[in-house]
């Protein structure tokens, strides 16, 4: 196991006016034994970043190091993929269909360890680690569910005790109910082995719930890397706020620790002055059904999820605001409600301001 350091890494495809800068000056540190998720929309450069780390691509600029060992950049000859001791779990279709589970898991072990007692013990240990029964060793991949196949893929990547494990949207082909349980099993297995891991995903729930650190990517660039709660509560800009969860972004005017906006007066997390863009999470918008306290509006739409519901409200001034409230007692479309903002609000310099 080792830490992973990516410093100023850039990679373009093609040349001239049609060139795509898939990864643009990315700097990221994944501490030894920790779990980082990279969150970004499709096409933002996530897979390219993993392929650079694994050694399938060579950066145009910047460097990549595992612990103190530079594997690419800084004038060193790029270390080939097989010598990097990286475990790679691709999106899907990761397993060799003609090999049974045991042979798949043992695939990356040194030749002498692949067969015999040592290999069988390692396979059993890995199945246990990913919470699959021992008798699955004899099954073929097509006799497993999608979630079980992804657990085997993780077991195969961990069997040779890699320095770093890279997971490329490993749960995206699974249906919602399997996704959660598979993700938790994967996190447990990584934690139990103390493996340094980088998982890329476009799913914000996955990114926030699994990792110690979330790195948000946009258009090839890394725009923020921080613990999950910090990314959610203090996104580096309103676009990150809207990508990581839902956000109500309203123009306002700040004076020290307060600001006024369409939702009335709000308290800021940090003092600001003048025109600002205010970022309010929908669960911070309190929907008052009985008292006429707060800013009046009319309910346009309610989406009921059971544990809670999302309420779209049109304020009297025309502003549209999303509120999230417990599902026990909720309004219906056409109701008049009053809204207030609770908790601290993050203020940003408005777009286009100097
Ligand atoms: P993601 O995994 O976030 O969806 P990718 O890393 O696959 O994004 O792609 C990032 C960008 O680089 C995209 O615009 C994609 O079309 C481009 N790209 C990726 N691989 C290649 C390649 N081998 N040749 C040319 N363009 C590529
Ligand atoms: Mg991808």
């Amino acid at each position: 196991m080792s830490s992973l350091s990516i410093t100023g890494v850039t990679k373009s495809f093609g040349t001239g006016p049609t060139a795509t800068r898939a990864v643009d000056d990315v700097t990221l540190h994944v501490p030894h034994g920790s779990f980082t998720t990279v969150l970004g929309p499709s096409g933002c450069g996530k897979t390219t970043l993993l392929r650079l780390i694994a050694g399938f691509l060579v950066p145009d600029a910047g460097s990549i190091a595992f612990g103190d060992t530079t594997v690419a950049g800084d004038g060193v000859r790029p270390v080939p993929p097989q010598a990097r001791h990286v475990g790679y779990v691709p999106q899907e279709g990761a397993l060799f269909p003609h090999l049974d589970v045991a042979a798949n898991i043992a695939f990356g072990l040194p030749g002498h360890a692949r067969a015999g007692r040592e290999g069988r013990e390692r396979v059993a240990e890995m199945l246990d680690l990913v919470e699959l029964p021992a008798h699955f060793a004899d099954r073929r991949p097509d006799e497993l569910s999608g979630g079980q196949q992804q657990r085997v893929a993780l077991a195969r990547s961990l069997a040779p005790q890699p320095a770093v494990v890279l997971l490329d949207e490993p749960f995206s082909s699974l249906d919602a109910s399997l996704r959660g349980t598979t993700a938790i099993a994967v996190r447990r297995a990584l934690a139990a082995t103390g493996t340094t891991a980088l998982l890329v995903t476009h799913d914000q729930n996955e990114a926030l719930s699994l990792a110690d650190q979330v790195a948000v990517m946009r258009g090839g660039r890394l725009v923020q890397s921080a613990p999950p709660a910090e990314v959610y509560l203090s996104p580096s800009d309103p676009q990150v706020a809207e990508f990581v969860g839902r956000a109500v972004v309203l123009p306002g005017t700040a004076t020290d620790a307060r600001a006024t906006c369409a939702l009335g007066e709000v308290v800021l997390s940090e003092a600001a002055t003048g025109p600002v863009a205010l970022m309010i999470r929908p669960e911070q918008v309190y929907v008052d059904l009985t008292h006429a306290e707060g800013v009046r509006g009319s309910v346009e739409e309610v989406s009921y999820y059971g544990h809670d519901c999302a309420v779209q409200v049109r304020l009297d001034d025309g502003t549209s605001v999303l509120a999230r409230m417990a599902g026990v007692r909720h309004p219906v479309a056409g109701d008049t409600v009053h809204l207030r903002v609770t908790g601290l609000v993050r203020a940003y310099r408005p777009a286009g301001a100097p």
Side-chain angles (χ1 to χ4, degrees):
M1 311 296 157
S2 65
S3 62
L4 166 65
S5 298
I6 301 160
T7 310
V9 165
T10 295
K11 178 70 188 176
S12 297
F13 294 109
T15 50
T18 57
T20 311
R21 194 173 276 210
V23 170
D24 188 1
D25 194 15
V26 166
T27 295
L28 175 67
H29 180 72
V30 183
H32 170 90
S34 75
F35 191 173
T36 291
T37 47
V38 176
L39 173 65
S42 180
C44 76
K46 304 184 295 298
T47 295
T48 304
L49 183 64
L50 291 193
R51 292 174 60 79
L52 287 161
I53 298 165
F56 304 130
L57 292 171
V58 176
D60 300 334
S63 63
I64 299 169
F66 294 172
D68 298 329
T69 309
T70 300
V71 295
D74 279 349
V76 306
R77 183 197 293 269
V79 174
Q82 65 276 17
R84 289 194 186 187
H85 306 294
V86 165
Y88 200 100
V89 181
Q91 202 157 336
E92 55 188 313
L95 302 178
F96 302 111
H98 57 291
L99 297 181
D100 66 15
V101 165
N104 264 286
I105 293 176
F107 187 80
L109 296 177
H112 65 86
R114 217 174 293 163
R117 196 166 62 94
E118 197 186 333
R120 279 198 303 279
E121 280 176 7
R122 191 83 187 127
V123 167
E125 198 186 324
M126 288 297 113
L127 282 173
D128 187 49
L129 181 70
V130 297
E131 299 170 23
L132 288 176
H135 68 265
F136 273 37
D138 302 326
R139 290 205 187 176
R140 282 218 326 256
D142 64 3
E143 296 167 326
L144 303 177
S145 74
Q148 291 163 347
Q149 288 181 23
Q150 286 305 73
R151 290 183 197 210
V152 173
L154 178 73
R156 184 178 63 183
S157 75
L158 290 174
Q161 294 179 297
V164 172
V165 167
L166 306 173
L167 302 106
D168 194 351
E169 311 218 27
F171 315 122
S172 60
S173 62
L174 307 181
D175 59 48
S177 60
L178 252 172
R179 207 178 272 210
T181 49
T182 310
I184 288 169
V186 165
R187 183 176 62 177
R188 280 204 209 110
L190 292 172
T193 50
T195 305
T196 307
L198 194 64
L199 179 150
V200 311
T201 177
H202 64 270
D203 182 310
Q204 38 145 315
N205 292 324
E206 220 165 87
L208 291 176
S209 63
L210 288 177
D212 310 308
Q213 173 177 243
V214 179
V216 184
M217 257 183 109
R218 190 166 70 209
R221 300 191 74 100
L222 198 71
V223 285
Q224 185 170 17
S225 52
E230 192 177 325
V231 169
Y232 187 75
L233 297 171
S234 290
S236 57
D237 61 45
Q239 275 174 282
V240 172
E242 285 173 319
F243 187 63
V244 183
R246 305 292 298 271
V248 179
V249 179
L250 297 175
T253 307
T255 317
D256 295 329
R258 286 171 191 276
T260 53
C261 65
L263 282 171
E265 192 177 74
V266 299
V267 183
L268 302 180
S269 55
E270 275 172 56
T273 313
V276 285
L278 299 167
M279 194 284 288
I280 300 159
R281 292 295 183 191
E283 64 271 20
Q284 287 183 270
V285 180
Y286 180 77
V287 182
D288 202 328
L289 306 176
T290 46
H291 306 97
E293 277 171 44
V295 179
R296 196 175 68 172
S298 168
V299 174
E300 289 195 316
E301 203 170 40
V302 177
S303 304
Y304 182 70
Y305 301 111
H307 45 77
D308 64 0
C309 62
V311 182
Q312 195 74 46
V313 177
R314 177 78 57 184
L315 303 180
D316 286 357
D317 76 354
T319 307
S320 183
V321 170
L322 182 71
R324 208 168 247 287
M325 63 190 293
V328 183
R329 188 163 161 263
H330 63 83
V332 295
D335 282 358
T336 295
V337 292
H338 288 78
L339 304 183
R340 301 194 284 281
V341 176
T342 62
L344 300 177
V345 169
R346 191 72 210 192
Y348 298 90
R349 234 197 291 217

